[in-house]
Amino acid sequence: MCGIIGYIGARQATPLLIGGLRKLEYRGYDSAGVSVLDPALGGPSRVVRCRGKLGNLEEKLKAEPAHGTVGIGHTRWATHGRPSDENSHPHKVGPISVIHNGIIENHLQLRQELVASGSHFSSETDTEIFAHLVERQIVDGAENLTVAVRKALAKVRGSYAFVVMSDKEPGTLVAAKNSSPLVIGLGEGENFIASDVTAILAETRKVIFIEEGEMVTVTKDKVEITDLEGKPKQREPKIITWSATQAEKGGFKHYMLKEIHEQPRAVADTLVGRVDLENDDVNLDGVNLDVKNIKRIVFIACGTSYHASMVGEFLVEALARIPVEVDLASEFRYRDPIVGPGDLVVAVSQSGETLDTMEAIREAKKKGAQVFAISNVIEASIPRLADHAFYTHAGPEIGVASTKAFTTQLVAMTLLAIHLGRRTGALSRERARVLLNELVQLPNKMKEVTDQGAHLQVLARRYGGAHGFLFLGRGSQYPIALEGALKLKEISYIHAEGYAAGEMKHGPIALIDDQLPVVVLVPTGPSYEKTVSNLAEVRARQGKVLAVATRGDHDIGGHSDDVVLVPETALELQPILTVLPLQMLSYYVADQRGTDVDQPRNLAKSVTVE
Ligand code: AGP
């Protein structure tokens, strides 16, 4: 999740690049840079880049101005390599400057090969690999930049949007796309390239969207699209009518809705490079845990991350057979917790900055425990404080109510549990294979759920007038019930409670009448029949039941007032699908009530007070 911009024309590139990057800053903001050249001088491009917000780059450019009418610019959200000056884009190797959005999946292998054949790297990024690959093609005699990029692309696996510039061919920019957005903006005697129309709307509304597996060669007067074999493609330009703010939200009304729909992509990014289908195993980015000596795992987290941790408890105990405890970080250090050597404390935080979680980590470390952080933000305080860090790669989450950060945390939990299970011996290779294959299929299945917006909107209208909601689930669906209730509370301000379905008869059943919608998570599995009985208890008291069930369940309609169906998957992965309709229901209820969905009252995205 980075921001990309390119310009080629007659105007000075740097101010245009900075203007575009300013619009893209919401996508990533840990470093920024430009590479600019003047075709008239033909000289080498000037690369100016630095860690920190765009303002830092602007300051640096005052001291080191970059003049020229061709350039590329980037704002970074770190995935491989911490935020630093060296890891900032553009990366330059010989005459080649590269900016990149996405993840090169086979980066380890490519880097080893390049180092073995004499390449020297100056950053920790996967992107620099691509600059080396293109440069090699030029040295080996590729006839032009387009051919060099095409040949380099043949070696790369993963998700990407690249823009490449060469000092030797100053009138050309070459870009390519696979699973990361890329758009060309058309002007008079000038053209733009961007990861996002937002970046170029101030300059042009005439655009061409580049599609999967396409390359594009852009000069100031021409745009040539081909497939990766070089076969030409024709595409008519479109005129964008969105306002700049609408464009920033990708055409969605709110960031939260955009982020809900980004989840299939975010989960795919979390899996990149971690799923080892050859060995039916999980690679934790090189983290070597001393698994045989882990006696217990203690999850610490707050809010939504706490709910993800509760699912983590279910996963680690089921797959690795290691005892697990889950603690609210805000409570942990106040009860003199019994924790120490032999414990692996897993600190889970979307922002990586939650003060309660940081203090809990300090307490755990003081007592001798090892800490493994799961964070969405690279080099945030929590992963820096921990002994090991694992990043979810969901990209920046702007909406205060967490959605894609949560589902990618669930994926991280699953990967951790499989990794541990394979090492404790509790998880057979065959079962690991089944789970890993299911994980790989998840993004498509998630999309099948997020495509049900129209249905969820109808349900939101039907139930959104209620004064309260109850969410019920058993096993790993219990934390999802808690998460569904939290989401609804946060953005719609309707009171909601999440309960373990079996607990309903011990109290909350008293609340049930024909005014209380009850959302019941009832996917197929060992708890199915018991949960259906709870659902019958609700209906016997005139409660209104909205069931979230598995596609192919033909009976559930007879037990409930409304149903949302999710695709079938392994039991362990069901929470990643069943939470999606709850996020969407909350969103549509809140939107109908006209609340400030992205910045709900009294809440902040990072909670840095105790
Ligand atoms: C989630 O929707 C909330 N905004 C909140 O509960 C959040 O999960 C909690 O504050 C913890 O934040 P963290 O994941 O950044 O540590």
Side-chain angles (χ1 to χ4, degrees):
M1 279 297 283
C2 306
I4 277 178
I5 174 113
Y7 174 77
I8 188 160
R11 291 192 275 168
Q12 279 300 311
T14 301
L16 294 166
L17 299 178
I18 295 293
L21 291 179
R22 176 78 53 223
K23 298 282 181 217
L24 294 172
E25 224 186 350
Y26 76 96
R27 291 174 68 95
Y29 32 72
D30 56 51
S31 55
V34 294
S35 179
V36 175
L37 62 75
D38 190 336
L41 298 178
S45 72
R46 165 161 262 196
V47 178
V48 184
R49 52 186 193 157
C50 59
R51 185 185 170 158
K53 299 219 173 197
L54 195 53
N56 296 7
L57 176 66
E58 287 177 286
E59 280 307 308
K60 200 168 177 187
L61 278 164
K62 282 185 194 155
E64 302 171 37
H67 298 297
T69 55
V70 182
I72 55 179
H74 189 266
T75 175
R76 178 166 186 251
W77 168 268
T79 56
H80 289 72
R82 74 214 141 80
S84 67
D85 289 356
E86 303 72 46
N87 289 337
S88 312
H89 300 212
H91 289 279
K92 190 158 186 195
V93 174
I96 301 299
S97 299
V98 172
I99 52 175
H100 168 219
N101 187 1
I103 298 171
I104 299 178
E105 208 166 320
N106 52 340
H107 67 103
L108 285 177
Q109 179 214 329
L110 289 173
R111 183 182 276 256
Q112 275 165 9
E113 286 170 11
L114 284 161
V115 168
S117 57
S119 294
H120 295 288
F121 280 81
S122 55
S123 79
E124 302 156 317
T125 63
D126 50 342
T127 305
E128 192 187 342
I129 289 164
F130 195 68
H132 281 282
L133 289 175
V134 177
E135 194 255 352
R136 288 278 175 107
Q137 298 306 324
I138 302 276
V139 171
D140 291 349
E143 58 253 52
N144 56 37
L145 184 61
T146 306
V147 173
V149 171
R150 184 178 305 130
K151 287 186 169 171
L153 283 173
K155 299 181 187 294
V156 164
R157 248 189 5 252
S159 63
Y160 54 74
F162 288 112
V163 187
V164 186
M165 188 171 94
S166 170
D167 296 349
K168 294 198 167 153
E169 207 176 316
T172 308
L173 294 176
V174 179
K177 167 188 159 56
N178 184 38
S179 302
S180 252
L182 195 66
V183 61
I184 308 299
L186 307 175
E188 293 295 325
E190 62 181 7
N191 288 309
F192 298 81
I193 303 177
S195 53
D196 203 319
V197 277
T198 331
I200 51 178
L201 272 191
E203 304 300 331
T204 178
R205 289 185 167 263
K206 195 171 174 191
V207 303
I208 296 177
F209 287 98
I210 303 303
E211 293 180 358
E212 296 307 310
E214 288 184 346
M215 283 180 61
V216 55
T217 302
V218 182
T219 66
K220 66 186 180 49
D221 305 306
K222 252 197 319 199
V223 172
E224 284 175 356
I225 308 172
T226 65
D227 65 13
L228 296 183
E229 269 74 54
K231 196 161 144 248
K233 295 233 185 158
Q234 299 303 325
R235 180 111 4 100
E236 285 304 310
K238 288 196 165 101
I239 303 297
I240 295 290
T241 53
W242 299 340
S243 70
T245 325
Q246 276 172 327
E248 212 163 274
K249 293 174 186 159
F252 291 101
K253 188 170 175 189
H254 294 100
Y255 283 112
M256 182 184 175
L257 188 59
K258 175 172 175 263
E259 285 156 6
I260 286 173
H261 285 275
E262 277 173 358
Q263 289 180 101
R265 173 78 258 139
V267 162
D269 284 345
T270 310
L271 294 173
V272 164
R274 276 108 181 233
V275 173
D276 176 356
L277 289 173
E278 263 171 44
N279 298 301
D280 304 313
D281 202 358
V282 166
N283 152 37
L284 291 183
D285 300 348
V287 171
N288 277 321
L289 295 169
D290 182 9
V291 177
K292 292 278 183 241
N293 287 318
I294 298 175
K295 303 275 174 288
R296 184 177 67 145
I297 288 187
V298 181
F299 284 100
I300 48 173
C302 300
T304 287
S305 299
Y306 175 72
H307 299 151
S309 302
M310 290 174 75
V311 177
E313 174 181 31
F314 171 88
L315 290 166
V316 172
E317 290 200 339
L319 302 181
R321 304 307 292 159
I322 299 174
V324 177
E325 278 185 36
V326 188
D327 242 309
L328 284 166
S330 53
E331 291 289 320
F332 186 73
R333 75 189 173 118
Y334 296 109
R335 61 175 177 78
D336 194 11
I338 303 172
V339 67
D343 288 328
L344 179 71
V345 168
V346 180
V348 186
S349 173
Q350 166 276 131
S351 63
E353 297 294 347
T354 301
L355 193 59
D356 284 321
T357 311
M358 281 170 64
E359 292 303 336
I361 294 175
R362 288 198 175 100
E363 180 73 16
K365 286 189 83 169
K366 202 167 71 192
K367 294 188 160 173
Q370 285 249 333
V371 179
F372 180 95
I374 296 178
S375 163
N376 192 38
V377 182
I378 296 225
E379 288 281 295
S381 305
I382 287 174
R384 276 192 282 126
L385 205 55
D387 301 294
H388 314 283
F390 188 78
Y391 295 105
T392 45
H393 298 326
E397 192 175 65
I398 313 282
V400 165
S402 190
T403 52
K404 62 177 181 170
F406 178 68
T407 42
T408 55
Q409 283 172 348
L410 296 183
V411 172
M413 302 285 173
T414 316
L415 293 172
L416 176 65
I418 294 173
H419 180 90
L420 294 172
R422 293 288 287 120
R423 279 149 192 81
T424 59
L427 179 64
S428 70
R429 186 165 182 167
E430 291 64 37
R431 184 69 193 149
R433 184 177 309 149
V434 170
L435 290 174
L436 292 171
N437 279 304
E438 282 292 339
L439 269 175
V440 171
Q441 290 171 42
L442 258 189
N444 288 339
K445 294 185 180 181
M446 294 172 80
K447 173 126 189 355
E448 289 176 38
V449 184
T450 53
D451 281 348
Q452 296 183 46
H455 181 42
L456 267 308
Q457 248 171 310
V458 170
L459 295 176
R461 270 197 291 277
R462 192 165 297 157
Y463 296 109
H467 295 296
F469 272 70
L470 188 59
F471 290 77
L472 300 176
R474 282 174 182 262
S476 61
Q477 296 299 327
Y478 166 43
I480 300 304
L482 295 175
E483 176 60 10
L486 177 68
K487 221 73 309 163
L488 189 71
K489 276 185 278 212
E490 280 187 299
I491 57 171
S492 73
Y493 318 142
I494 297 176
H495 180 68
E497 291 216 44
Y499 251 88
E503 279 292 292
M504 187 184 65
K505 56 188 175 296
H506 298 293
I509 197 164
L511 295 171
I512 291 172
D513 62 15
D514 62 358
Q515 300 301 305
L516 185 78
V518 183
V519 180
V520 187
L521 297 152
V522 59
T524 48
S527 309
Y528 178 81
E529 279 166 13
K530 288 252 171 353
T531 313
V532 168
S533 306
N534 301 133
L535 188 154
E537 289 158 14
V538 173
R539 291 193 95 207
R541 288 157 183 85
Q542 277 77 52
K544 293 278 172 280
V545 170
L546 165 52
V548 178
T550 307
R551 189 189 295 151
D553 179 348
H554 301 298
D555 299 332
I556 197 70
H559 297 297
S560 37
D561 298 276
D562 284 291
V563 180
V564 181
L565 294 173
V566 301
E568 208 172 331
T569 186
L571 176 73
E572 293 84 345
L573 308 186
Q574 285 175 343
I576 304 169
L577 295 179
T578 55
V579 75
L580 301 175
L582 307 195
Q583 297 169 345
M584 294 165 81
L585 181 71
S586 302
Y587 171 78
Y588 287 119
V589 168
D591 185 39
Q592 283 162 30
R593 292 167 77 99
T595 60
D596 187 345
V597 172
D598 286 329
Q599 289 180 319
R601 68 185 182 203
N602 308 336
L603 294 175
K605 189 69 188 158
S606 288
V607 186
T608 50
V609 289
E610 277 186 271

